[in-house]
C-alpha cells in the first residue's frame, strides 16, 4: 500500500495539473477577448490575498524564518513577475504553446536548479527524460519559428520559458522556506498584490476590468483568484512538501495534453503535427525526469531529488 504522505502528494500533484491547465486555458481566453494581463493579475493575486488576510493579521499570522533571498525568490518565482510573464505571453502564443513550453520545461529547470543548489546528480533515466523534454520542445520551437504560428508567437514562447524558470525557482525556494502551504499562498499573494498596487496599477490602471462584461469578470475572478490563485498554489505546495520539488514537477506531465486538447475543443486551436510530436516526447520525458519510474514508497517522500 502507498504511504499516506506519498498518496497525498500524488493527489495534490494530480489536482495541480488540472488546475494549471484550466488556468492556462482561461488566461488565454481572457487576454484575447475582453481583458488584459494587468486585469487578470489583479484578480489572480488580489482575491486570494483578501481571502487569506487572517494569516497576515490573525493569531497564527505568518512569521517566516527563511532568509530574505529565499523569500524574495518565493514571491518572484510564484507571484506577480511569474504571472505577468505568463499572461503577457498568452497574448501572443496559443494555449497549446503555454502547456508545452511552460509545463513541459518545468522539470528541466527544476533539475538544473537542484543541481546548482545542492549539486544533485542528474543521470540515468532522469537524464534521458530531460533529453526527451529538450528535444520535444526544440522540435516544437523550430516549427514555431518557421511560421507554424503567428509571427509574434515566438515572443510568447520565450515568455513561457522564462516563467517556467521562475516557477522552478519558486518550487525550490518553498522547499526551504519553512512555511506551510497556506502560509506560503498567503505570503506570495499578499506581497504580489502589494507590488501590483504600488508598482503597476498607478501607471497601467485596470480600464478593461471596469468595462468588461460581468460574465467574463466572474469567470476570471473564480478561475484566477479562487481556483488558481488559492487552491492551485496550495495543492502544488502540498505536492512539494510531500514529494520534493523535482517529483512534484511530475504534475506537469498532464498539463500539455490537457491544455492542447482543451484549447482545440474550446477555442478551436488546431492540433498540429508538430504539437503531437512534441507531446510524444515531452510527456514521457516529464515522467522519466521526475524519477517516478524508479520510485519506491519506502524511500523518503520528503527527499528533494
Amino acid at each position: 500500500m502507498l504511504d499516506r504522505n506519498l498518496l497525498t502528494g500524488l493527489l495534490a500533484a494530480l489536482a495541480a495539473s488540472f488546475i494549471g491547465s484550466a488556468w492556462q486555458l482561461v488566461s488565454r481566453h481572457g487576454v484575447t477577448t475582453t481583458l488584459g494581463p494587468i486585469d487578470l493579475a489583479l484578480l489572480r493575486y488580489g482575491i486570494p490575498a483578501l481571502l487569506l488576510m487572517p494569516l497576515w493579521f490573525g493569531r497564527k499570522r505568518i512569521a517566516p524564518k527563511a532568509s530574505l533571498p529565499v523569500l524574495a525568490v518565493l514571491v518572484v518565482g510564484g507571484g506577480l513577475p511569474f504571472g505577468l510573464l505568463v499572461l503577457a505571453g498568452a497574448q501572443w502564443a496559443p494555449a497549446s504553446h503555454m502547456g508545452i513550453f511552460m509545463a513541459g520545461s518545468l522539470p528541466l529547470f527544476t533539475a538544473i536548479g537542484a543541481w546548482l543548489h545542492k549539486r544533485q546528480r542528474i543521470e540515468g533515466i532522469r537524464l534521458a527524460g530531460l533529453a526527451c523534454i529538450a528535444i520535444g520542445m526544440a522540435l516544437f520551437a523550430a516549427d514555431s519559428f518557421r511560421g507554424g504560428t503567428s509571427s509574434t508567437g515566438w515572443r510568447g514562447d520565450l515568455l513561457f520559458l522564462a516563467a517556467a524558470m521562475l516557477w522552478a525557482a519558486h518550487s525550490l525556494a518553498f522547499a526551504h522556506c519553512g512555511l506551510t502551504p497556506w502560509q506560503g499562498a498567503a505570503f506570495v499573494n499578499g506581497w504580489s498584490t502589494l507590488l501590483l498596487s504600488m508598482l503597476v496599477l498607478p501607471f497601467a490602471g485596470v480600464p478593461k476590468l471596469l468595462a468588461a462584461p460581468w460574465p467574463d469578470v466572474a469567470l476570471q475572478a473564480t478561475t484566477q483568484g479562487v481556483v488558481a490563485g488559492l487552491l492551485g498554489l496550495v495543492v502544488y505546495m502540498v505536492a512539494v512538501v510531500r514529494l520534493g520539488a523535482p517529483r512534484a514537477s511530475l504534475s506537469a506531465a498532464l498539463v500539455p495534453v490537457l491544455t492542447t486538447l482543451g484549447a482545440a475543443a474550446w477555442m478551436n486551436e488546431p492540433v498540429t503535427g508538430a504539437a503531437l510530436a512534441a507531446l510524444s516526447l515531452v510527456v514521457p520525458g516529464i515522467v522519466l525526469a521526475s524519477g517516478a519510474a524508479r520510485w519506491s514508497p519506502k524511500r523518503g517522500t520528503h527527499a528533494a531529488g
Side-chain angles (χ1 to χ4, degrees), residues 35-297:
L35 295 167
I38 302 301
D39 307 286
L40 297 187
L42 181 60
L43 298 173
R44 169 69 172 76
Y45 299 106
I47 292 175
L50 289 174
L51 294 175
L52 295 173
M53 191 174 292
L55 292 179
W56 281 99
F57 303 107
R59 291 183 179 179
K60 297 182 179 180
R61 58 182 178 272
I62 302 170
K65 299 178 181 179
S67 64
L68 287 178
V70 170
L71 295 175
V73 171
L74 190 70
V75 174
V76 172
L80 182 64
F82 161 80
L84 288 179
L85 285 177
V86 177
L87 295 171
Q91 292 182 305
W92 288 314
S96 59
H97 287 223
M98 202 185 314
I100 291 175
F101 281 107
M102 192 169 69
S105 63
L106 178 59
L108 182 64
F109 292 130
T110 303
I112 293 173
W115 177 79
L116 291 174
H117 179 60
K118 285 191 171 182
R119 288 296 187 264
Q120 290 183 4
R121 299 179 63 182
I122 306 171
E123 56 187 7
I125 200 166
R126 290 191 66 199
L127 184 61
L130 295 177
C132 286
I133 294 172
I135 293 171
M137 290 193 300
L139 292 174
F140 197 55
D143 179 75
S144 179
F145 276 99
R146 284 198 302 267
T149 59
S150 67
S151 59
T152 59
W154 62 270
R155 298 178 184 177
D157 297 342
L158 292 179
L159 292 180
F160 296 151
L161 288 173
M165 283 191 281
L166 290 184
W167 188 260
H170 162 82
S171 301
L172 295 168
F174 178 73
H176 300 88
C177 72
L179 297 174
T180 68
W182 287 105
Q183 289 175 334
F187 191 84
V188 169
N189 286 305
W191 277 104
S192 294
T193 302
L194 184 62
L195 292 173
L196 185 64
S197 61
M198 292 179 60
L199 302 179
V200 179
L201 293 183
F203 305 99
V206 288
K208 291 185 178 181
L209 184 61
L210 299 177
W214 74 263
D216 290 357
V217 175
L219 172 65
Q220 295 295 338
T222 302
T223 307
Q224 298 285 344
V226 179
V227 177
L230 184 60
L231 298 179
L233 198 57
V234 168
V235 296
Y236 188 77
M237 288 178 175
V238 169
V240 171
V241 169
R242 300 300 176 91
L243 307 178
R247 286 168 179 161
S249 65
L250 178 62
S251 64
L254 285 176
V255 175
V257 177
L258 293 173
T259 301
T260 299
L261 296 178
W266 185 24
M267 292 177 278
N268 295 318
E269 288 187 6
V271 181
T272 64
L276 293 176
L279 289 173
S280 68
L281 288 168
V282 169
V283 173
I286 293 173
V287 176
L288 294 176
S290 71
R294 53 182 177 81
W295 205 350
S296 173

